[in-house]
Amino acid sequence: MRKNILLWAGAVAVAAAVVGCATAPTDVEVSRRAAAVLKDSFNAKGQAGLDRLDQDETQRLCTQYANKPLPKDVAEMIEKLNLASIKWPADGKWLGDWKNGEKIAQEGRGKQFSDDPKGPVGGNCYACHQLAPQEVSFGTIGPSLYQFGKLRGYTDEIRKYAYGKVWNADAYSACSNMPRFGHSQILSEQQIRDLVALLMDPESPVNK
Amino acid sequence: MNPRRRNLLQTGGGMTLLTMLAAAGWLQPHTALAADAWNAAAFDTKSMDETMKALGGGIPAQSKGITFVQTPDIAENGAVVPIGVVSAIPNTQSIAILIEKNPNMLTAVFDIPPGTEPSISTRVKMGQSSNVYALVKADGRYYVASKEIKVTLGGCGG
Amino acid sequence: MNIMTRRASVRVAIAAVVVGAAATVALAQTSAVEEIEKYRAALQDGNPADLWEARGEDLWKSPRGPKKVSFATCDLGQGPGVVKGAYAQLPKYFADAGRVMDLETRLVYCMVTQQGYTDADARKNPFGGPGQKSDIEALVAYVTSQSRGVKMNVALDHPKEKEAFALGEKMFVFRGGPHDFSCATCHAETGKRIRLQDLPNLMTVAGAQKAYTTWPAYRVSQGEMRTFQWRLNDCFRQQRFPDLIFTSDASIALTMYLAHNANGAAFNAPAIKR
Amino acid sequence: MADPMRIRANVVGDSTEVKVLMSHEMETGQRKDAQGKTVPAWFIQSVTATYNGKTVLSAQWGPAVAKNPFLSFKFKGGAKGEKVQVTWTDNRGEKRTDEATIS
């Protein structure tokens, strides 16, 4: 760890020499340094390897623009990139079982180093969204999805949108706070169908 | 209403929980339960029926003289649920806390000697949302009040 | 009626439905939040962190380790053995170590350099569990309790203090893992919650103050007194990151960022939380 | 050996209010450890509080009392400077007594 600090001091010196008069490292250099220090500050544990700190293009860009407005062209690029990655159901069936969907929406476990790799993996939707009105313990990071289908209409267009959004939220809204559940292999195709049913089945409590 | 609770409340030909407690004979009058040796039978029971069999005794009547204080309707975490019970019934001798849906229903019994106020507060564990009963023995008779406490899922869920 | 106005009126109708439904649900929600507030209030009187604080005071004052010395010579930044107000000025740069340190890092440093523990022994049980109480957690409970009521005053004077802050600020927004989470995913907007738990916006002074000054805390869900190092480690666990190394450079940089953002607020911990 | 209790005893009007925190795991006997083995029940079964040699509260507990138990009660009388004693006994037969000065 001492080594890191020394390296960092070296990087500052190099940066200063290159720029000539600058005494502070540039924003990009600090970001790069932060990523390197982060990587040295974790141990692999359980199912969480150090490769989880390797960013893909979307993560890298979203980190880079985290504290400033996302330029329109960058946003469009991210959305295009992610839309192309969505695997649509081959049989055109959007809806699974809303009862399973409710369980997936409640389940918060999965992918943590403390989770059994063979154990359940959920979407944890209630952490951020209101869904069925019976559940009063819901978060507000994302919008309320209560009456999702009822308000938008039970159409194929909306079913497809719901499926795509759960599969890869960044395809519709660059740098969304929502995980890319299908793209990042958090949830299976069937689990995503079940969640779409929770949102779009007229019998689902979400639409009551 | 939760179907399981309805069953519990109505077991035994439509009897309510309270009359069941009464029929089973809750605690023996004129004994100070908590002062005796630990009542393994009462604390070890897995169901309501067993709990009742393990305890002998009097007839609990629903009472407005028993109030829950500093006891929330919703617990943010079931591992620690604050429960306060105050009895306004004269000559209160003991206060017990029972949690219907816990693996063991009887949670704690407090004996209140003369000179001690019939008011206790403690914290309990609840495995899930449940009715909580405060049972008071006063002048050798038994009184009960209940309250439903919801246990919510919190945090990131993992 | 032309198409435009018809559409508009349909929109108005939908909006009315949304508002109506939302209002009903919001009412149930308000009472749930109020009840949770009652729950939290009921826990304030009688914080089991006191048990850690008492044990920590004993550990601080007793001779320990192979060299059998107490922490009386341990300098937390305010002079040897001084605990009063020390936590409110941490993390800081320590010339003797040549490094920015938070409280836990400094405790480990004193255990190694003064009490004669090996580095591995000093840091082997940072987070206690059933049947294995952590001395670090107890010491942190005691030391932090001695800053209760003291205003946070974390300096960025030394270049390494500035550097730690700058790195922490960047780490806060670093997205990674299968879920694309960064600290900012949950802690960069005001008035949001996860389930029913309010999320502090740590990028604002008010949010950082409210959060940072209430750690360490007795965590009722765990039945343990948890330190800020634990708080960071467990946030990363839930972010689906690997295991944040205890007293690592990243943990200190993030602590520096958050502690400095909390400057000016009165420290008020150990607290009690869900 | 078990850690000491934290006992606060304060005069409130003509009564003494006692608040006790006990350091105890309060294992239910239902929890499984990381290896999937059931952790045996381990909990405080009885608590007795005395003032001037007289019992002011006695209790029997099951394992559903929360970890690191908290207990609060009030008794009539009690004067500043006098002592309140609290003793707990757990299901392993371990016992701990602590006292506090009323203030």
Side-chain angles (χ1 to χ4, degrees):
Chain A
M1 271 165 246
R2 286 287 293 279
K3 201 176 78 194
N4 291 337
I5 303 274
L6 289 176
L7 275 172
W8 166 229
V12 175
V14 170
V18 170
V19 181
C21 56
T23 50
T26 65
D27 196 55
V28 173
E29 282 161 351
V30 178
S31 291
R32 207 171 288 157
R33 188 71 209 129
V37 173
L38 266 176
K39 192 125 196 194
D40 280 346
S41 295
F42 284 84
N43 282 329
K45 187 171 181 180
Q47 58 181 304
L50 291 177
D51 59 342
R52 291 195 178 181
L53 296 163
D54 297 332
Q55 294 178 310
D56 72 1
E57 187 66 359
T58 301
Q59 291 173 331
R60 192 185 63 75
L61 287 167
C62 293
T63 298
Q64 189 183 328
Y65 291 99
N67 286 333
K68 37 190 173 283
L70 190 61
K72 204 164 166 256
D73 57 329
V74 177
E76 278 170 8
M77 196 188 87
I78 291 171
E79 286 168 12
K80 211 176 136 198
L81 181 76
N82 283 284
L83 189 61
S85 88
I86 299 177
K87 202 177 137 234
W88 302 102
D91 57 5
K93 268 190 68 185
W94 309 107
L95 262 60
D97 179 351
W98 67 259
K99 290 191 185 89
N100 284 336
E102 169 69 14
K103 284 182 203 143
I104 296 160
Q106 291 281 2
E107 179 59 71
R109 285 170 296 179
K111 303 279 182 189
Q112 298 168 123
F113 64 65
S114 52
D115 292 328
D116 179 352
K118 293 186 216 101
V121 178
N124 206 13
C125 313
Y126 283 103
C128 299
H129 295 283
Q130 179 180 37
L131 290 136
Q134 290 83 354
E135 179 54 88
V136 297
S137 181
F138 61 84
T140 58
I141 294 174
S144 171
L145 303 176
Y146 175 52
Q147 298 194 331
F148 182 92
K150 191 173 181 178
L151 294 172
R152 288 166 182 79
Y154 302 112
T155 63
D156 263 343
E157 189 194 348
I158 301 294
R159 286 181 200 110
K160 183 179 178 184
Y161 164 72
Y163 187 95
K165 181 86 184 181
V166 178
W167 186 283
N168 191 335
D170 282 347
Y172 304 86
S173 166
C175 302
S176 167
N177 282 330
M178 182 164 149
R180 294 171 285 173
F181 288 104
H183 173 81
S184 303
Q185 298 179 321
I186 301 163
L187 299 177
S188 68
E189 188 175 297
Q190 188 53 47
Q191 282 181 304
I192 292 174
R193 280 198 181 110
D194 291 342
L195 286 176
V196 174
L198 182 66
L199 294 169
M200 290 300 292
D201 192 322
E203 293 308 308
S204 161
V206 167
N207 293 316
K208 295 290 176 189
Chain B
M1 192 193 240
N2 178 309
R4 197 177 141 213
R5 192 170 73 236
R6 184 181 296 142
N7 286 344
L8 275 174
L9 285 169
Q10 295 183 344
T11 321
M15 281 200 296
T16 65
L17 165 66
L18 303 181
T19 52
M20 271 172 84
L21 278 167
W26 183 248
L27 297 167
Q28 295 295 344
H30 313 301
T31 56
L33 182 73
D36 299 340
W38 193 70
N39 190 340
F43 280 104
D44 234 27
T45 50
K46 302 278 181 232
S47 74
M48 180 93 156
D49 284 353
E50 289 175 53
T51 313
M52 293 188 300
K53 274 178 207 149
L55 296 158
I59 298 172
Q62 198 149 30
S63 172
K64 288 197 171 85
I66 306 168
T67 43
F68 289 92
V69 293
Q70 292 238 317
T71 309
D73 292 351
I74 301 179
E76 198 173 17
N77 196 289
V80 178
V81 183
I83 301 218
V85 178
V86 176
S87 167
I89 305 167
N91 302 320
T92 292
Q93 296 160 277
S94 70
I95 298 173
I97 298 167
L98 293 84
I99 300 162
E100 187 174 300
K101 291 198 188 165
N102 270 6
N104 303 49
M105 198 169 161
L106 183 60
T107 305
V109 185
F110 300 87
D111 278 351
I112 312 290
T116 294
E117 292 184 18
S119 158
I120 53 101
S121 57
T122 187
R123 294 169 187 168
V124 303
K125 294 187 265 241
M126 291 178 64
Q128 57 182 309
S129 301
S130 170
N131 270 339
V132 174
Y133 297 94
L135 184 85
V136 166
K137 178 186 169 189
D139 254 347
R141 296 193 57 197
Y142 295 88
Y143 305 87
V144 73
S146 71
K147 173 185 175 81
E148 192 188 4
I149 300 180
K150 281 202 183 79
V151 175
T152 60
L153 270 175
C156 305
Chain C
M1 193 193 268
N2 67 32
I3 288 173
M4 287 303 287
T5 40
R6 195 182 308 148
R7 264 199 203 144
S9 62
V10 168
R11 267 196 211 129
V12 170
I14 289 177
V17 171
V18 176
V19 170
T24 317
V25 174
L27 197 68
Q29 199 46 42
T30 313
S31 68
V33 170
E34 278 169 11
E35 280 303 317
I36 294 281
E37 284 306 324
K38 276 192 213 164
Y39 171 87
R40 289 174 191 154
L43 289 183
Q44 294 310 313
D45 188 21
N47 182 352
D50 285 4
L51 298 164
W52 273 254
E53 202 180 307
R55 193 160 60 86
E57 182 172 8
D58 195 46
L59 289 170
W60 181 267
K61 291 174 177 168
S62 309
R64 304 177 75 230
K67 292 188 187 165
K68 301 254 182 294
V69 295
S70 76
F71 282 97
T73 52
C74 180
D75 185 353
L76 298 177
Q78 309 304 313
V82 177
V83 288
K84 198 91 202 147
Y87 190 69
Q89 297 194 37
L90 290 171
K92 73 193 298 289
Y93 175 76
F94 286 88
D96 56 4
R99 188 181 171 199
V100 173
M101 292 174 153
D102 65 347
L103 173 60
E104 290 91 319
T105 308
R106 191 63 182 169
L107 288 170
V108 167
Y109 178 84
C110 288
M111 286 167 74
V112 172
T113 58
Q114 295 170 5
Q115 299 180 330
Y117 287 99
T118 65
D119 189 67
D121 277 349
R123 60 179 73 243
K124 78 177 170 203
N125 188 20
F127 313 134
Q132 44 147 14
K133 284 177 183 157
S134 163
D135 288 351
I136 295 274
E137 283 175 341
L139 285 162
V140 168
Y142 168 62
V143 172
T144 57
S145 75
Q146 298 302 300
S147 282
R148 204 182 280 281
V150 179
K151 278 202 174 138
M152 290 298 303
N153 182 21
V154 176
L156 295 185
D157 296 333
H158 193 277
K160 290 199 172 169
E161 291 170 347
K162 290 193 180 84
E163 170 194 298
F165 180 89
L167 289 175
E169 189 176 29
K170 290 293 177 196
M171 290 170 186
F172 192 82
V173 298
F174 182 92
R175 282 190 180 222
H179 286 56
D180 302 333
F181 287 154
S182 69
C183 306
T185 305
C186 293
H187 295 293
E189 273 188 90
T190 304
K192 301 287 180 181
R193 17 171 256 254
I194 280 189
R195 292 280 187 170
L196 288 176
Q197 278 75 49
D198 295 323
L199 296 163
N201 178 353
L202 299 175
M203 296 179 96
T204 64
V205 171
Q209 287 180 335
K210 195 174 170 209
Y212 193 83
T213 57
T214 53
W215 282 96
Y218 183 78
R219 215 41 212 271
V220 305
S221 49
Q222 312 212 338
E224 300 286 345
M225 206 300 311
R226 295 308 194 188
T227 63
F228 203 70
Q229 280 278 337
W230 178 90
R231 174 63 282 176
L232 291 174
N233 181 287
D234 205 55
C235 271
F236 278 119
R237 177 182 68 86
Q238 292 170 319
Q239 277 172 245
R240 275 71 182 174
F241 278 43
D243 186 24
L244 180 68
I245 298 169
F246 179 62
T247 72
S248 58
D249 283 349
S251 72
I252 295 168
L254 278 164
T255 303
M256 181 54 118
Y257 172 62
L258 298 169
H260 181 78
N261 284 350
N263 271 354
F267 185 73
N268 189 25
I272 183 165
K273 292 172 192 265
R274 177 192 71 82
Chain D
M1 200 185 76
D3 284 329
M5 284 175 248
R6 293 281 264 184
I7 307 170
R8 284 176 292 160
N10 293 301
V11 172
V12 180
D14 60 352
S15 297
T16 298
E17 184 175 41
V18 184
K19 291 176 181 176
V20 191
L21 279 165
M22 305 169 201
S23 179
H24 205 285
E25 293 291 340
M26 300 301 286
E27 280 290 354
T28 58
Q30 320 259 342
R31 193 175 66 86
K32 289 195 164 73
D33 65 14
Q35 283 74 45
K37 264 177 55 185
T38 301
V39 180
W42 178 32
F43 58 97
I44 292 173
Q45 288 188 321
S46 69
V47 180
T48 308
T50 59
Y51 163 70
N52 275 346
K54 174 181 169 277
T55 298
V56 288
L57 190 83
S58 58
Q60 282 195 13
W61 287 354
V65 170
K67 181 175 175 178
N68 298 314
F70 172 75
L71 166 65
S72 162
F73 65 97
K74 268 189 210 172
F75 65 88
K76 288 263 185 307
K80 283 183 186 176
E82 292 187 318
K83 310 266 192 206
V84 173
Q85 268 199 345
V86 180
T87 299
W88 58 251
T89 310
D90 70 19
N91 66 324
R92 293 182 183 172
E94 193 175 351
K95 210 174 182 142
R96 166 108 215 164
T97 301
D98 291 284
E99 63 177 27
T101 305
I102 300 172
S103 59

